[in-house]
Amino acid sequence: MKISIITVCYNSAKTIEKTFQSVASQTYQNIEYIVIDGKSTDDTLQIANKYQEVISNIVSEKDKGLYDAMNKGIALATGDIVGILNSDDVFNDETVLEDVAKFHNQNNVDASVGNIIQFNNEGKTVRKYSAKNWNPEKLKIGFMPAHPAIFFKRDLFTKFGSYHLDFIIGADYELITRFFLKHNISWKFSNITTTAMLVGGVSSSGFSSYKIVSREIAKALERNQIVFNNTKIKLRGFWKIVGFLNKA
């Protein structure tokens, strides 16, 4: 089983070497590693050149943003399954892809959904985000699993399309909604902690993005003809706090 991993980057010299190293350290051998660079002006490409034995395909050209770059990577991918590794993230350990391959070999599903941990700039783990209690119905109230913890069969993108570019920060939510709710793909919780993510991703930068995310969640659900309660989406932050307190 070939696994395609896609990393999208732009001026990522401060963090991307650790990302490359985490791919290089994987015990699994059948990896296709695709890097889509947005024409970086820092040392990103020079760092990438040090990992030519790890990187299967690298493209450096202007793009229309994060999701356009992801679509370019998906179009180049030839693996059986596809995963995303952001340019400031790393695999949680060296056996992640071996574990993912084993899981997909043992379970005939369209997608596996796992866990991630988040760390701060000092390298301290500040949160574990598990999909253990997630199911697709929760998309209707604003909850999705961590994007890098999902591994999809590649042919899903051919059948159902890639990321829609008219979203600012919610194209991953729309794609997950389209795949899991509209097309009812088969999936299973893997319980694999796939990724260690740096806190502060494109859609997790606090209240400044909360309204935008809420609008884009509603837009994603509407586009896929999913019935939902917009008030519950706007109050998703409250329900997260309640869930956290219930676990405490």
Side-chain angles (χ1 to χ4, degrees), residues 83-86 89 91 115-116 145-151 194-195 197:
I84 300 292
L85 184 65
N86 296 319
D89 301 340
F91 287 123
N115 314 311
I116 61 103
H147 189 201
I150 308 174
F151 284 78
T194 63
T195 314
M197 300 181 66

Side-chain angles (χ1 to χ4, degrees), residues 12-31:
S12 303
K14 291 182 179 179
T15 60
I16 202 165
E17 187 152 22
K18 289 183 179 179
T19 305
F20 292 156
Q21 288 170 349
S22 78
V23 176
S25 70
Q26 290 298 296
T27 56
Y28 194 68
Q29 296 299 306
N30 198 3
I31 304 171

Side-chain angles (χ1 to χ4, degrees), residues 29 39 45 68 82 131 157 191 221:
Q29 296 299 306
K39 206 71 174 177
L45 291 175
D68 181 41
V82 176
F157 297 98
N191 202 24
L221 293 164

Side-chain angles (χ1 to χ4, degrees), residues 70-81:
M70 287 183 181
N71 285 345
K72 289 180 180 182
I74 290 165
L76 291 171
T78 62
D80 300 290
I81 57 176

Side-chain angles (χ1 to χ4, degrees), residues 7-182:
T7 293
V8 168
C9 58
Y10 178 68
N11 286 348
S12 303
K14 291 182 179 179
T15 60
I16 202 165
E17 187 152 22
K18 289 183 179 179
T19 305
F20 292 156
Q21 288 170 349
S22 78
V23 176
S25 70
Q26 290 298 296
T27 56
Y28 194 68
Q29 296 299 306
N30 198 3
I31 304 171
E32 175 183 57
Y33 187 34
I34 299 169
V35 177
I36 307 296
D37 175 73
K39 206 71 174 177
S40 290
T41 56
D42 65 358
D43 291 334
T44 298
L45 291 175
Q46 287 87 335
I47 296 169
N49 285 335
K50 295 162 55 179
Y51 294 88
Q52 292 181 27
E53 293 183 1
V54 178
I55 299 170
S56 310
N57 200 336
I58 184 166
V59 174
S60 182
E61 62 186 19
K62 293 287 187 180
D63 54 51
K64 298 174 184 176
L66 174 68
Y67 298 114
D68 181 41
M70 287 183 181
N71 285 345
K72 289 180 180 182
I74 290 165
L76 291 171
T78 62
D80 300 290
I81 57 176
V82 176
I84 300 292
L85 184 65
N86 296 319
S87 63
D88 52 2
D89 301 340
V90 296
F91 287 123
N92 188 50
D93 59 48
E94 65 274 7
T95 66
V96 165
L97 295 185
E98 186 173 341
D99 294 339
V100 168
K102 182 178 180 181
F103 185 85
H104 277 264
N105 279 322
Q106 293 177 344
N107 298 274
N108 185 24
V109 290
D110 293 321
S112 62
V113 180
N115 314 311
I116 61 103
I117 60 172
Q118 293 182 317
F119 62 93
N120 59 22
N121 288 321
E122 287 72 47
K124 181 182 178 181
T125 298
V126 295
R127 182 190 181 200
K128 180 176 181 180
Y129 183 30
S130 174
K132 180 180 180 180
N133 298 316
W134 181 85
N135 65 74
E137 286 295 305
K138 291 190 176 182
L139 289 164
K140 297 178 183 179
I141 57 172
F143 293 96
M144 63 175 267
H147 189 201
I150 308 174
F151 284 78
F152 291 110
K153 280 187 176 178
R154 181 173 56 87
D155 64 1
L156 293 175
F157 297 98
T158 303
K159 292 178 183 176
F160 306 134
S162 298
Y163 297 95
H164 291 179
L165 302 187
D166 59 328
F167 286 79
I168 301 169
I169 54 179
D172 48 354
Y173 201 99
E174 190 284 324
L175 181 135
I176 291 167
T177 298
R178 186 178 355 129
F179 283 11
F180 284 87
L181 283 180
K182 183 176 182 179

